[in-house]
Amino acid sequence: MGNFKGHALPGSFFCFMSLWWSTKFTLKYACKKYKRTCYLGSKALFHRIEILEGIIIIGMALIGMAGEQFIPGGPYLTLYDYKGDHWNQLLGWHHCTMYFFFGLSGVANVLCHIYHSLPVSLTKLAMSNAFFVEAFIFYNHTHGRDMLDIYVHQLLVLVITGTGLIALIDFMKSNIILMLLYSSLVWLQGTWFWQIGFVLYPLNGGPAWEAMDHDNIMFLTICFCWHYAISLIIMGLNYALVTWLVKSKLKRFCSSEIGLLKNAEREQESEEEM
Amino acid sequence: MGNFKGHALPGSFFCFMSLWWSTKFTLKYACKKYKRTCYLGSKALFHRIEILEGIIIIGMALIGMAGEQFIPGGPYLTLYDYKGDHWNQLLGWHHCTMYFFFGLSGVANVLCHIYHSLPVSLTKLAMSNAFFVEAFIFYNHTHGRDMLDIYVHQLLVLVITGTGLIALIDFMKSNIILMLLYSSLVWLQGTWFWQIGFVLYPLNGGPAWEAMDHDNIMFLTICFCWHYAISLIIMGLNYALVTWLVKSKLKRFCSSEIGLLKNAEREQESEEEM
Amino acid sequence: MGNFKGHALPGSFFCFMSLWWSTKFTLKYACKKYKRTCYLGSKALFHRIEILEGIIIIGMALIGMAGEQFIPGGPYLTLYDYKGDHWNQLLGWHHCTMYFFFGLSGVANVLCHIYHSLPVSLTKLAMSNAFFVEAFIFYNHTHGRDMLDIYVHQLLVLVITGTGLIALIDFMKSNIILMLLYSSLVWLQGTWFWQIGFVLYPLNGGPAWEAMDHDNIMFLTICFCWHYAISLIIMGLNYALVTWLVKSKLKRFCSSEIGLLKNAEREQESEEEM
Amino acid sequence: MGNFKGHALPGSFFCFMSLWWSTKFTLKYACKKYKRTCYLGSKALFHRIEILEGIIIIGMALIGMAGEQFIPGGPYLTLYDYKGDHWNQLLGWHHCTMYFFFGLSGVANVLCHIYHSLPVSLTKLAMSNAFFVEAFIFYNHTHGRDMLDIYVHQLLVLVITGTGLIALIDFMKSNIILMLLYSSLVWLQGTWFWQIGFVLYPLNGGPAWEAMDHDNIMFLTICFCWHYAISLIIMGLNYALVTWLVKSKLKRFCSSEIGLLKNAEREQESEEEM
């Protein structure tokens, strides 16, 4: 969807997922650190949450794919235009394929937490995989376009590749800081989608930014860094908020439930450590 | 072999190996997880299977090398044409060299499982090595060809490099998911060989695809992703099938044999852990 | 600040930090190795030192940012020149952004050693992060400049990327040698900033070096290596000096204090191991 | 030294070191595996051997540096030609710098095994470092030369970078197979230096190979792979020979000495494990 909405939609999806992930990772870490084994931090709940997360990701992917195919003027599932003898709207199909791999990672998420015969690390690798495929597609997405257009998409490829790499490193050596960095890169990707929308399809209906001006490139370079700085600060504030909540507020709420949950959890824990 | 068959042959080899590897890795993982120490999952059998696998790889490499050299119009082991004063069919020699390194990794496979003084991790590194050499050769394989031709081979280099890297990561930190990803990339390589055949040497005898059309490039980008998606789904189905077999069907078959195998296995296990 | 002073200031900052880091890392290592648990090597002191280090980094970053903005002819916090309808001194803003991320890593340093709910590894990743952002900015810093100018900045990008990578590796597997290598690369970055100043803005007021002379490039290649060799030798001498001090001179000084510190340290140690 | 001898000298150095390293690594591994704690595999001897190895590397580096400076027509330690107002033979200085870093790694080798306050892993990182510097220098070594000349040096950069990376991986996770791969890449580098000599400065005094012929590039691609295959086979034969010697021949020789060495070794071992 080569318009503002087509960039705002995935941007919002990624920002939403980023906030959710940073909350989830911090919650898990804080609960473990302060030994709050209340219902909110229990494994039984997390299992259900992971399944829900998978379903939400699948939903987002389906919305994205449907949006790409069935917007007015979209390809409507036609890949080849036999009348005109040319491929039919390949950019839309590119976006569809990208959404499809995120959907696949959502499916992996759901399956992993339903069937215990699947290794849990699959979810991380599936996500990393989806990001690498996205980076590959965006890298081959801008043949023959203008310098500015190419540059903003290159920055997108940079942040997506970084996200995939961090997911891969985290797959090998799990760490709360890496997970938060991962979340912040996803947030950066989300806001950068919005920025691309503003640059290429200004909301006031005016023309796109001057595509051949070196100064625009130079500005977008630091603009990208500022987006990143903001994403780091938001992740930090979210971390502080969640940790403070777990540390101080949940004390009263949790203590009474420990007894009830202990048995159910122990069973699951022994399964998870495998 | 610059024709359809020359790409279909290695494509079939890689698809076959991919299916076999994903079956083997899943079988090993499932047998370990469900503690099925029957003959099918025993180390004695796996040793013999690994040796057989090595011999099959060597056989495939020999068939490939012979095919490259002795097809009608092939180089027939002549490297330099002294009459014409030029190198003789270097592309055929490129393919030969590629096959040779796979043969070498097959030899490593056989030796590793015959002589216990060789470390077992050699097999993984030898395979990773063969893929890196293949990527190097294909990277230097398309000097002065058309854009489309270069692009489809670049995608091949991409997937081969990825395979080599995953084999290297797996060498450092073994993991069932990495092994399955590795198998799926090998499958992708196999089907992509077929795709290259269809693109450059269409079966109906028509001309190759238009080499300078940007839309063809854009289509092959997503086509590559779809091949990958299919390979992931096939690996997933294979994993589900094998796990289901091990979990439910082998129960009856295995229980009686455990007693006989226990002693033989224990000895080997202690050797392996070294 | 496109002049000699603008390169000498960050150069001095990095050289200073490099010397301090190599001293700190060696001190920690030597104290651990020779089991000198005197006040100088105690964890209580190191906590305070780390907080001080963070404050100094924040101070440096603020000085740098203020210098970039408020030097005569600087941007004075104006990003867009609405009269001339163009961006206002983006190079200065580039430098500002770079300093900002180092300031952010200083903040992470301070927070980590005040609040124990933050993981200690955050400081390393924040530093690695600051270097990667710096590398990204310098990579996009030289659009349309001369060959020599681009080359000296490319070398800077090389050493900065290397520093970030080593910080990342060290984050995954801590090691004294990696830390010293990291310090030496920071020193190299510092002296290379000075070298860039000498090359592009000679002190005697003469013109910059001939920008299109291949021999200048060739010389700067080895010059870079010599800077590196010197940095390695300085790190080595510093290591020898600190180790010798800890080994021989501190014996007398430390023995009396061990009793007093033991209790305070034990508490902290148990917290750190988490 | 832009002639045949200038490439044969480092080529011989690298081949010699490669053979020695593969022998050393295999010897260490086999002695450990077959628990041959005779004098040949003892740590006391290995310490002395490592020091000797360091001295030999320093010697080679000094020979190389002297050769570069004081051959007839060499720079004779003059960096800048003030008469002609140009840099004096920078290619010779490039080679000198390269040798200097190998000398530095030799110094690290010697110091590490004399002073126990130095971590042993320093030797590996110093070697990795020397290779990375060499790769950097060769990468910036061929400005404005012919295609063939650039290509053969690019292949050199490829193998050197690979060697550096493997030394870095081995630094993080030591493994006999990685060490042998490392040795084989060093051997490949050595023989490739010889190949470059044959290509650019043919021994029969004839002209260099045609620099603009694509077929020469294509041939050198597979030629490089064949060098690599030979290096792998040589390493394999060497491994087999050394393992066979340790396994069968040293039995008689070693048994009598074990008693004498036990005490001396135990002390050292406890120091090493630190």
Side-chain angles (χ1 to χ4, degrees):
Chain A
M1 290 184 279
N3 53 28
F4 186 79
K5 275 183 211 159
H7 289 85
L9 185 73
S12 310
F13 282 171
F14 284 116
C15 285
F16 171 75
M17 286 316 293
S18 162
L19 272 189
W20 160 241
W21 278 329
S22 71
T23 308
K24 187 182 75 174
F25 295 144
T26 313
L27 202 59
K28 267 190 183 172
Y29 179 73
C31 286
K32 209 171 176 186
K33 188 155 190 173
Y34 298 108
K35 293 177 187 63
R36 294 267 179 281
T37 47
C38 70
Y39 185 66
L40 203 64
S42 75
K43 293 213 163 156
L45 181 68
F46 268 116
H47 261 280
R48 271 172 244 162
I49 282 177
E50 295 279 357
I51 291 169
L52 185 69
E53 186 188 308
I55 291 167
I56 289 171
I57 291 173
I58 295 170
M60 282 175 172
L62 288 177
I63 291 170
M65 288 166 83
E68 290 294 339
Q69 290 288 344
F70 302 115
I71 48 161
Y76 286 96
L77 298 176
T78 314
L79 182 59
Y80 198 81
D81 182 351
Y82 287 97
K83 285 180 202 158
D85 205 21
H86 58 75
W87 299 101
N88 187 29
Q89 299 198 323
L90 285 172
L91 294 185
W93 283 98
H94 272 203
H95 295 148
C96 260
T97 309
M98 187 193 94
Y99 281 117
F100 176 73
F101 275 87
F102 278 102
L104 217 60
S105 88
V107 171
N109 222 2
V110 171
L111 289 180
C112 260
H113 289 91
I114 290 181
Y115 298 107
H116 289 293
S117 66
L118 284 163
V120 185
S121 56
L122 174 61
T123 57
K124 279 178 190 171
L125 203 65
M127 218 46 182
S128 162
N129 200 31
F131 282 115
F132 279 127
V133 170
E134 195 194 352
F136 168 73
I137 286 178
F138 274 116
Y139 185 79
N140 289 292
H141 196 61
T142 52
H143 280 277
R145 299 210 211 161
D146 288 332
M147 188 176 75
L148 186 78
D149 201 344
I150 290 172
Y151 186 69
V152 290
H153 282 92
Q154 270 180 347
L155 293 183
L156 207 54
V157 170
L158 181 72
V159 63
I160 298 168
T161 312
T163 318
L165 280 177
I166 287 174
L168 196 66
I169 294 176
D170 186 70
F171 166 78
M172 291 167 75
K173 183 187 154 83
S174 194
N175 185 297
I176 172 69
I177 298 292
L178 277 181
M179 283 163 167
L180 289 178
L181 186 58
Y182 171 78
S183 305
S184 74
L185 285 181
V186 175
W187 175 272
L188 170 59
Q189 188 186 342
T191 59
W192 195 249
F193 262 113
W194 279 85
Q195 181 73 41
I196 291 179
F198 283 120
V199 169
L200 299 183
Y201 315 99
L203 272 189
N204 54 18
W209 293 17
E210 172 54 42
M212 285 302 152
D213 187 358
H214 267 293
D215 264 10
N216 280 340
I217 301 278
M218 297 291 257
F219 170 69
L220 285 169
T221 302
I222 38 172
C223 185
F224 186 71
C225 293
W226 295 345
H227 277 260
Y228 186 36
I230 290 167
S231 90
L232 288 177
I233 289 165
I234 287 174
M235 292 304 126
L237 292 179
N238 198 17
Y239 179 88
L241 182 72
V242 173
T243 306
W244 174 74
L245 274 175
V246 170
K247 206 172 170 182
S248 63
K249 295 281 152 175
L250 293 180
K251 199 177 282 177
R252 198 187 39 219
F253 178 67
C254 293
S255 50
S256 61
E257 298 193 43
I258 291 177
L260 300 165
L261 286 160
K262 255 181 179 166
N263 292 332
E265 262 169 49
R266 270 204 193 131
E267 285 168 37
Q268 282 196 312
E269 249 172 302
S270 60
E271 279 177 43
E272 287 260 310
E273 300 309 317
M274 197 158 51
Chain B
M1 291 184 279
N3 53 27
F4 185 81
K5 277 184 209 158
H7 289 86
L9 185 73
S12 309
F13 283 172
F14 284 116
C15 284
F16 171 74
M17 287 315 294
S18 162
L19 272 189
W20 159 240
W21 277 329
S22 71
T23 308
K24 187 181 76 174
F25 295 144
T26 312
L27 202 58
K28 267 190 183 172
Y29 178 73
C31 285
K32 209 173 176 185
K33 188 152 188 173
Y34 298 108
K35 292 178 189 64
R36 294 268 180 281
T37 47
C38 70
Y39 185 67
L40 202 65
S42 76
K43 293 212 164 157
L45 180 69
F46 269 116
H47 260 282
R48 270 172 245 162
I49 282 177
E50 295 279 356
I51 292 169
L52 184 69
E53 184 188 310
I55 290 167
I56 289 171
I57 291 173
I58 295 169
M60 282 174 174
L62 288 177
I63 290 170
M65 288 165 84
E68 291 294 338
Q69 291 288 343
F70 302 115
I71 48 161
Y76 287 95
L77 297 178
T78 314
L79 182 59
Y80 198 81
D81 181 352
Y82 287 98
K83 286 181 201 157
D85 205 21
H86 59 74
W87 299 101
N88 187 30
Q89 298 197 324
L90 284 173
L91 293 185
W93 283 98
H94 273 202
H95 295 150
C96 260
T97 309
M98 187 194 94
Y99 282 117
F100 177 73
F101 275 87
F102 279 101
L104 217 60
S105 86
V107 170
N109 222 1
V110 171
L111 290 180
C112 260
H113 289 92
I114 291 180
Y115 298 107
H116 288 294
S117 65
L118 283 163
V120 185
S121 56
L122 174 60
T123 57
K124 279 178 192 172
L125 204 65
M127 218 46 182
S128 162
N129 200 32
F131 282 115
F132 279 127
V133 170
E134 194 194 354
F136 168 73
I137 286 177
F138 274 115
Y139 185 79
N140 289 291
H141 196 60
T142 52
H143 281 276
R145 299 211 211 160
D146 288 332
M147 189 177 73
L148 186 78
D149 201 344
I150 290 173
Y151 186 68
V152 291
H153 281 92
Q154 269 179 347
L155 293 183
L156 208 54
V157 169
L158 181 72
V159 62
I160 298 168
T161 311
T163 318
L165 279 177
I166 286 174
L168 195 66
I169 294 176
D170 187 69
F171 166 78
M172 291 168 75
K173 182 186 155 83
S174 194
N175 185 298
I176 172 70
I177 298 293
L178 278 180
M179 283 163 166
L180 289 178
L181 185 59
Y182 171 78
S183 305
S184 74
L185 285 181
V186 175
W187 175 272
L188 170 60
Q189 188 185 342
T191 58
W192 195 248
F193 262 114
W194 278 85
Q195 182 73 40
I196 292 180
F198 283 118
V199 170
L200 299 182
Y201 316 99
L203 272 188
N204 55 16
W209 294 15
E210 172 54 40
M212 284 303 152
D213 187 357
H214 268 292
D215 263 10
N216 279 340
I217 301 277
M218 296 291 257
F219 171 70
L220 285 169
T221 301
I222 38 172
C223 186
F224 187 72
C225 293
W226 295 345
H227 277 260
Y228 185 38
I230 290 166
S231 90
L232 288 177
I233 289 166
I234 287 174
M235 292 304 126
L237 292 180
N238 198 16
Y239 179 88
L241 181 72
V242 173
T243 305
W244 174 74
L245 274 175
V246 170
K247 208 171 167 181
S248 62
K249 295 281 152 175
L250 295 180
K251 201 177 281 178
R252 196 186 41 216
F253 178 66
C254 293
S255 50
S256 61
E257 297 192 41
I258 291 177
L260 300 164
L261 286 161
K262 254 182 181 166
N263 292 334
E265 262 170 49
R266 271 207 193 129
E267 284 168 38
Q268 281 196 313
E269 247 171 304
S270 59
E271 277 177 44
E272 287 259 310
E273 301 309 317
M274 199 157 50
Chain C
M1 291 184 279
N3 54 29
F4 186 79
K5 275 183 210 159
H7 289 85
L9 185 72
S12 310
F13 283 171
F14 284 116
C15 285
F16 171 74
M17 285 318 292
S18 161
L19 272 189
W20 160 239
W21 277 329
S22 72
T23 308
K24 187 181 75 174
F25 295 143
T26 313
L27 202 59
K28 268 189 181 171
Y29 179 73
C31 285
K32 209 171 175 184
K33 188 154 190 172
Y34 299 108
K35 294 179 187 62
R36 293 268 180 283
T37 47
C38 70
Y39 186 67
L40 204 64
S42 75
K43 293 211 163 157
L45 181 67
F46 268 116
H47 261 281
R48 270 172 244 162
I49 281 177
E50 295 279 356
I51 292 169
L52 185 68
E53 186 188 308
I55 290 167
I56 289 171
I57 290 173
I58 295 170
M60 282 175 172
L62 288 177
I63 291 170
M65 288 165 83
E68 290 293 339
Q69 290 289 343
F70 302 117
I71 47 160
Y76 286 95
L77 298 177
T78 314
L79 181 58
Y80 198 81
D81 183 350
Y82 287 98
K83 284 180 202 160
D85 205 22
H86 59 74
W87 299 100
N88 187 30
Q89 299 199 324
L90 284 173
L91 294 184
W93 283 97
H94 273 202
H95 295 148
C96 260
T97 308
M98 187 193 94
Y99 281 118
F100 177 73
F101 275 86
F102 279 101
L104 217 59
S105 88
V107 170
N109 222 1
V110 170
L111 289 180
C112 260
H113 289 92
I114 290 181
Y115 298 106
H116 289 293
S117 65
L118 284 163
V120 186
S121 56
L122 174 60
T123 57
K124 279 178 190 172
L125 202 65
M127 218 44 182
S128 164
N129 200 32
F131 281 115
F132 278 127
V133 170
E134 195 193 352
F136 168 73
I137 287 178
F138 274 115
Y139 185 78
N140 289 292
H141 196 61
T142 52
H143 280 276
R145 299 210 211 161
D146 287 332
M147 188 176 74
L148 186 77
D149 199 343
I150 290 173
Y151 186 69
V152 290
H153 282 92
Q154 270 178 346
L155 293 183
L156 207 54
V157 170
L158 181 72
V159 63
I160 298 168
T161 310
T163 318
L165 279 177
I166 287 174
L168 196 65
I169 294 176
D170 186 69
F171 166 78
M172 290 168 73
K173 184 186 153 85
S174 195
N175 184 297
I176 173 70
I177 298 292
L178 277 180
M179 283 163 167
L180 289 178
L181 186 59
Y182 171 78
S183 305
S184 74
L185 285 181
V186 175
W187 175 272
L188 170 59
Q189 188 186 342
T191 58
W192 195 250
F193 262 113
W194 279 85
Q195 182 73 39
I196 290 179
F198 283 119
V199 169
L200 299 182
Y201 315 100
L203 272 188
N204 54 16
W209 292 17
E210 172 53 42
M212 285 301 152
D213 186 359
H214 267 293
D215 264 11
N216 280 339
I217 300 277
M218 296 290 257
F219 171 68
L220 284 169
T221 301
I222 39 172
C223 186
F224 186 71
C225 292
W226 295 345
H227 276 260
Y228 185 38
I230 292 167
S231 89
L232 288 176
I233 290 166
I234 287 175
M235 292 304 125
L237 293 179
N238 198 18
Y239 179 89
L241 181 71
V242 173
T243 305
W244 174 74
L245 274 175
V246 170
K247 207 171 170 182
S248 63
K249 294 283 150 172
L250 293 181
K251 200 178 280 179
R252 197 185 40 216
F253 177 67
C254 292
S255 51
S256 61
E257 298 193 41
I258 291 175
L260 300 166
L261 286 163
K262 256 182 180 165
N263 293 332
E265 261 168 51
R266 273 207 190 129
E267 286 168 36
Q268 282 195 313
E269 248 170 303
S270 58
E271 279 177 45
E272 288 259 311
E273 301 309 317
M274 199 155 50
Chain D
M1 291 185 279
N3 54 28
F4 185 79
K5 276 184 211 160
H7 289 86
L9 185 71
S12 310
F13 283 171
F14 283 116
C15 284
F16 172 74
M17 287 316 293
S18 162
L19 272 190
W20 160 239
W21 277 330
S22 72
T23 309
K24 188 181 75 175
F25 295 144
T26 312
L27 202 60
K28 267 191 182 171
Y29 180 73
C31 285
K32 209 173 174 184
K33 189 153 189 172
Y34 299 107
K35 292 178 189 63
R36 294 267 179 283
T37 47
C38 70
Y39 185 67
L40 203 65
S42 75
K43 292 211 163 157
L45 181 69
F46 268 117
H47 261 280
R48 271 172 243 162
I49 281 176
E50 294 280 356
I51 291 168
L52 184 69
E53 185 188 308
I55 290 167
I56 288 171
I57 290 173
I58 295 170
M60 282 175 173
L62 288 177
I63 290 170
M65 288 165 82
E68 290 294 338
Q69 290 289 342
F70 302 116
I71 48 161
Y76 287 95
L77 296 178
T78 314
L79 182 60
Y80 199 81
D81 183 351
Y82 287 99
K83 285 180 201 157
D85 203 22
H86 60 75
W87 300 101
N88 187 31
Q89 298 197 321
L90 284 173
L91 293 184
W93 282 98
H94 272 203
H95 295 148
C96 259
T97 308
M98 186 194 93
Y99 282 118
F100 176 73
F101 275 86
F102 279 102
L104 216 60
S105 87
V107 170
N109 223 1
V110 171
L111 288 181
C112 260
H113 289 92
I114 291 180
Y115 297 106
H116 289 292
S117 66
L118 283 164
V120 185
S121 57
L122 174 60
T123 57
K124 279 178 192 172
L125 203 64
M127 217 47 179
S128 162
N129 201 32
F131 281 114
F132 279 127
V133 170
E134 195 193 354
F136 168 74
I137 286 178
F138 274 115
Y139 185 78
N140 289 291
H141 196 61
T142 52
H143 281 276
R145 299 210 210 160
D146 288 333
M147 189 177 73
L148 186 78
D149 200 342
I150 290 174
Y151 187 69
V152 290
H153 281 92
Q154 269 179 347
L155 292 183
L156 207 54
V157 170
L158 181 72
V159 62
I160 298 168
T161 311
T163 319
L165 279 177
I166 286 175
L168 196 65
I169 294 176
D170 186 69
F171 166 78
M172 290 169 75
K173 182 186 154 86
S174 195
N175 184 298
I176 172 69
I177 298 292
L178 278 180
M179 284 162 166
L180 289 178
L181 185 60
Y182 170 79
S183 305
S184 75
L185 285 181
V186 175
W187 175 272
L188 171 59
Q189 188 186 343
T191 57
W192 196 250
F193 262 115
W194 278 86
Q195 181 73 41
I196 292 179
F198 282 119
V199 169
L200 299 182
Y201 316 99
L203 272 188
N204 55 16
W209 293 16
E210 173 54 41
M212 285 302 151
D213 186 358
H214 267 292
D215 263 10
N216 279 340
I217 301 278
M218 296 290 257
F219 171 69
L220 285 168
T221 302
I222 39 173
C223 185
F224 186 72
C225 293
W226 295 345
H227 276 260
Y228 185 38
I230 291 166
S231 89
L232 287 177
I233 289 165
I234 288 175
M235 292 304 126
L237 293 179
N238 198 17
Y239 179 89
L241 182 71
V242 172
T243 305
W244 174 73
L245 274 175
V246 169
K247 208 170 168 181
S248 62
K249 295 281 151 174
L250 293 180
K251 201 178 278 180
R252 197 185 42 217
F253 177 67
C254 292
S255 52
S256 61
E257 297 193 42
I258 291 177
L260 299 165
L261 285 162
K262 254 184 180 165
N263 293 333
E265 260 169 52
R266 269 202 194 136
E267 284 169 38
Q268 282 195 313
E269 247 171 304
S270 59
E271 278 177 45
E272 287 259 310
E273 300 310 318
M274 199 156 49

